[in-house]
Amino acid sequence: MPIVFPPSGPGYTNTQTAKGGITITAGGTAHTMGAWTTVLSNLAFDCHALFLNVFGIRVGTGTSRYLLDIGVSDGKSGSERVIIPYLDAGAAAMSNEVGKTYLFPIYIRAGSSLIVRGQSETANKTCTVVAHAIGLPFHGYSDYSSPQVWVQYGANPSTSSGTALTSGNGAFGTAALIGTTSQDHRLWHVGIDWATNTAISTGRYRVRLSTDSAGNDVIGIWEFTAPSTAEDIAGPAPVTPMYRPLPSGTSLYVACDGAAAEAMAAIVYAA
């Protein structure tokens, strides 16, 4: 009898927010985190991955910098803990344009609640988060695990944005050094925003994460789009992280092949 390996992805989206999502309100002062909002309450099972969709942040002819902390709580005051810091939600497109969508392998124990807070360049600015908790772990021949926390490189909380770079026009622009890893990692995601740029060319923006400025050693490539002239962003594709084991002390460079040469910013997430 032949040996058949089981599929390696996660499964069973056991619980999720309402289709319209949960409203998150940024702090009452610019670039300051607001209060935690419960997005999924009292999980009935161990969660092994989160699907996150953020939308409704774009501002036509204006900037829309926005960062989200994704956290967990056991329901007691002071138990809140950040598990995905400074997720770059800036310029997330409207719901009919998908917005920003990520899959993060992560372990959250049963009984915990998923909580989210946000900060923006504009006081009290809102966005909407749709979340799915996935209950079947990665298994079989998958190299994914379920980390308990992700870390970020390149976030600039004082501006609710990331590390500045400029895209190339039909080719990768100059790579920006986002940071150097402080620990070993094997899972990678990238987020982008338009920083203070208020006139974005529509089209596709291909983002490359590498360990060198020339892009000879690529960790992963993600696709984002500017779907309209309203300074918005949809993506990334793929929504899953890239797998590449790398040691502490690794340099991280991000470059972008854009629809035009555009000022922008990036943040890297790793586990």
Side-chain angles (χ1 to χ4, degrees):
M1 178 180 293
I3 297 175
V4 178
F5 290 99
S8 61
Y12 302 144
T13 304
N14 295 88
T15 191
Q16 58 281 322
T17 62
K19 184 177 70 173
I22 304 295
T23 299
I24 306 300
T25 302
T29 303
H31 310 305
T32 302
M33 283 289 178
W36 289 107
T37 297
T38 299
V39 173
L40 294 173
S41 181
N42 192 22
L43 292 175
F45 54 88
D46 288 343
C47 170
H48 292 273
L50 285 175
F51 171 87
L52 298 171
N53 174 229
V54 186
F55 58 88
I57 301 178
R58 74 177 187 186
V59 178
T61 67
T63 60
S64 50
R65 290 167 283 165
Y66 210 114
L67 300 176
L68 294 173
D69 275 345
I70 313 300
V72 294
S73 169
D74 65 7
K76 298 178 182 178
S77 178
S79 69
E80 299 87 357
R81 177 172 62 89
V82 176
I83 57 173
I84 305 170
Y86 298 132
L87 182 62
D88 196 338
M94 306 307 287
S95 61
N96 63 331
E97 296 168 334
V98 180
K100 290 183 171 179
T101 302
Y102 290 88
L103 180 74
F104 285 98
I106 195 159
Y107 175 77
I108 304 172
R109 64 177 176 81
S112 302
S113 293
L114 182 70
I115 54 178
V116 178
R117 65 183 180 183
Q119 68 173 69
S120 174
E121 63 182 295
T122 304
N124 301 311
K125 185 172 180 61
T126 62
C127 71
T128 306
V129 172
V130 172
H132 291 230
I134 297 174
L136 181 67
F138 294 89
H139 62 283
Y141 51 86
S142 173
D143 282 321
Y144 282 9
S145 63
S146 295
Q148 296 188 44
V149 67
W150 286 67
V151 300
Q152 62 79 23
Y153 298 96
N156 187 347
S158 66
T159 62
S160 298
S161 185
T163 297
L165 68 145
T166 300
S167 63
N169 183 2
F172 284 107
T174 300
L177 176 61
I178 302 298
T180 302
T181 58
S182 57
Q183 61 192 76
D184 296 350
H185 297 295
R186 60 178 182 170
L187 298 177
W188 306 90
H189 253 317
V190 171
I192 63 168
D193 62 79
W194 299 133
T196 59
N197 193 344
T198 61
I200 307 300
S201 299
T202 60
R204 186 170 293 270
Y205 290 78
R206 174 169 289 177
V207 176
R208 181 188 73 204
L209 174 62
S210 62
T211 65
D212 65 314
S213 60
N216 293 320
D217 184 26
V218 176
I219 300 171
I221 291 177
W222 292 263
E223 309 285 341
F224 294 82
T225 64
S228 76
T229 58
E231 286 70 65
D232 50 3
I233 295 173
V239 301
T240 53
M242 298 295 181
Y243 176 83
R244 172 75 184 279
L246 288 169
S248 176
T250 299
S251 297
L252 302 174
Y253 290 87
V254 171
C256 181
D257 176 356
E262 298 286 4
M264 55 192 297
I267 304 173
V268 174
Y269 307 93

